[in-house]
Amino acid sequence: MKIVFTVDCEGMKFFDQGNPDYKSPVQKIKFGLNKLAAVKKYNIDGFPLLYEFSLNHKVPMTFMLLGEKFKPVQNPPPWFEFGYHTWSHKVLPDCSVSDLFKETKNMYGCKSFTAPMWKIGSLLDEELFVERMLKDGYRIMTYRGTSASELHSGPAFLMNGMKLVYVSATTRGTMEDMKTVILSALDTARLDMQFGHESIFVIATHDFVYKDTKALEFLWNNLSQFQWLKMEEL
């Protein structure tokens, strides 16, 4: 089994922006309350913690950068990868064509891309969108199927030449979450051995959920026996 650990680096942009899936007044009020709680619960400066953890433990990670907030670090070590997470975190299916191009423009020459909420549909259909991303230099993207709740472990697949890889697990950086991720990964590895194939297990997280790296260290200690890769290496 191959493990890819991706970090959406966006500060707390999501809470400033709001959840576009919340349409009803009750949902919007609930999100507003969650936003107030998030200031105390989360850490707007989570990125340096993850960066230092990867640096000190030599853990391959793919940092998906929000263009308006982050730039790639110069001369990173070889186990680092910087991908792109749009310019300002607009949900792509809600964008006009001009906004879509602005949001996804490959400003830093990245090979990897992850869309906000993993939604790559747009005013263009998915295949046309993928063709445009290929022309801009991207080669691999995270994907979560047609349903926001759809999670998979399996090989990457091609869409018009773009390699798409399913998100297998998400984590909010808590010890409880990490235990769930570990059990899911170990179960995937067991099935790989049973059926003689090799899965790609993509773990997706956000920078702002980490106030320390204790849970991350727990994850690494329990899964370091597997091959960890940058996303561009798939």
Side-chain angles (χ1 to χ4, degrees), residues 83-131:
Y84 204 55
H85 188 43
T86 72
W87 172 254
S88 67
H89 208 263
K90 290 182 179 178
V91 178
L92 299 185
D94 297 338
C95 286
S96 65
V97 172
S98 60
D99 279 348
L100 179 69
F101 291 169
K102 178 182 178 181
E103 286 294 309
T104 60
K105 184 177 180 180
N106 196 353
M107 298 183 62
Y108 304 129
C110 299
K111 300 297 184 185
S112 302
F113 177 84
T114 191
M117 303 174 74
W118 303 286
K119 294 182 178 182
I120 67 169
S122 63
L123 292 179
L124 309 174
D125 65 34
E126 283 192 356
E127 292 190 2
L128 288 175
F129 173 72
V130 161
E131 287 179 6

Side-chain angles (χ1 to χ4, degrees), residues 18-89:
N19 189 331
D21 288 342
Y22 288 177
K23 306 294 186 183
S24 73
V26 173
Q27 287 177 319
K28 291 179 180 180
I29 291 171
K30 184 178 179 181
F31 186 85
L33 294 174
N34 288 340
K35 179 179 178 179
L36 292 175
V39 175
K40 293 184 178 180
K41 183 178 181 180
Y42 296 125
N43 178 18
I44 196 170
D45 295 317
F47 172 75
L49 288 175
L50 297 171
Y51 182 91
E52 289 298 320
F53 179 86
S54 177
L55 189 65
N56 294 335
H57 293 78
K58 296 186 177 180
V59 179
M61 289 187 181
T62 298
F63 295 95
M64 299 294 190
L65 305 180
L66 195 70
E68 69 175 14
K69 287 183 176 289
F70 295 98
K71 293 182 180 179
V73 176
Q74 296 297 313
N75 302 313
W79 59 89
F80 276 57
E81 179 191 1
F82 292 105
Y84 204 55
H85 188 43
T86 72
W87 172 254
S88 67
H89 208 263

Side-chain angles (χ1 to χ4, degrees), residues 2 4 139-143 152-159 161-168 198-202 231 233-234:
K2 298 175 180 177
V4 175
R139 293 294 175 264
I140 186 166
M141 295 167 42
T142 52
Y143 188 68
H152 294 270
S153 299
F157 65 98
L158 292 176
M159 181 186 287
M162 176 72 75
K163 189 174 288 187
L164 300 179
V165 59
Y166 283 115
V167 177
S168 310
E198 185 177 49
S199 293
I200 298 168
F201 195 86
V202 177
M231 205 162 95
E233 294 177 315
L234 294 175

Side-chain angles (χ1 to χ4, degrees), residues 188-197:
T188 299
R190 178 184 61 79
L191 292 173
D192 278 357
M193 292 184 65
Q194 181 178 345
F195 294 105
H197 56 69

